């Protein structure tokens, strides 16, 4: 996704994220995508106080440039999917890669929300 113009990045990003999540096979969890997009209605930009976040971002920029130079991923969507398989130091103690972490987060969200729906359904059934 092109970052410029930055003035409407917050409006464009949710649409692009939806495409990325669908490309990762999250479309079966459409309610997860809808929930995430709803959470993005309000945008706030701030500096990070965590220097390792900047370091990881710089590593991804470096890798993206190398992949493009080698012709491995010319399309931004393909590049994003390729980068999602890259081991990432903040995830070393858990899922290792952003792709695996995404799968874990979606599964956790789906379980929590199916449990909440089940509890709500049971509560409604017992109220009758």
């Amino acid at each position: 996704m092109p970052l410029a113009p930055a003035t409407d990045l917050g409006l464009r990003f949710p649409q692009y994220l939806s495409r990325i999540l669908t490309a990762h096979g999250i479309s079966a969890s459409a309610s997860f995508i809808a929930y995430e997009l709803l959470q993005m209605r309000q945008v706030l930009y701030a500096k990070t106080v965590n220097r390792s976040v900047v370091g990881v971002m710089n590593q991804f920029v470096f890798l993206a440039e190398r992949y493009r130079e080698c012709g491995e991923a010319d399309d931004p969507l393909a590049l994003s999917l390729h980068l999602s398989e890259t081991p990432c130091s903040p995830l070393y103690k858990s899922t290792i890669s952003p792709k695996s972490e995404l799968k874990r987060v979606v599964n956790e969200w789906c379980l929590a929300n199916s449990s909440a729906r089940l509890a709500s359904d049971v509560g409604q059934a017992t109220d009758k």
Side-chain angles (χ1 to χ4, degrees):
M1 178 181 100
L3 296 179
T7 55
D8 68 348
L9 180 63
L11 297 173
R12 292 181 293 118
F13 180 74
Q15 297 163 349
Y16 191 75
L17 177 66
S18 180
R19 287 182 53 215
I20 294 289
L21 293 174
T22 301
H24 274 287
I26 309 300
S27 58
S29 305
S31 57
F32 174 81
I33 295 175
Y35 174 80
E36 287 297 315
L37 296 180
L38 182 65
Q39 300 305 307
M40 292 181 196
R41 290 189 352 201
Q42 185 177 1
V43 178
L44 175 68
Y45 296 100
K47 290 183 179 182
T48 182
V49 294
N50 186 336
R51 289 185 0 204
S52 68
V53 169
V54 176
V56 169
M57 297 298 291
N58 285 332
Q59 288 176 325
F60 276 101
V61 168
F62 176 79
L63 287 170
E65 290 170 351
R66 298 300 84 77
Y67 290 144
R68 284 190 190 147
E69 287 172 2
C70 296
E72 290 186 40
D74 295 328
D75 172 52
L77 181 59
L79 179 61
S80 179
L81 294 174
H82 197 68
L83 287 170
S84 74
E85 297 176 359
T86 303
C88 187
S89 58
L91 300 174
Y92 283 162
K93 293 181 181 177
S94 59
T95 55
I96 310 283
S97 72
K99 181 179 182 177
S100 298
E101 181 66 9
L102 173 63
K103 185 182 289 187
R104 185 196 67 75
V105 167
V106 171
N107 287 339
E108 188 176 285
W109 186 89
C110 288
L111 282 172
N113 283 284
S114 66
S115 296
R117 273 195 305 272
L118 180 61
S120 173
D121 292 347
V122 168
Q124 290 174 1
T126 56
D127 290 343
K128 291 180 180 181

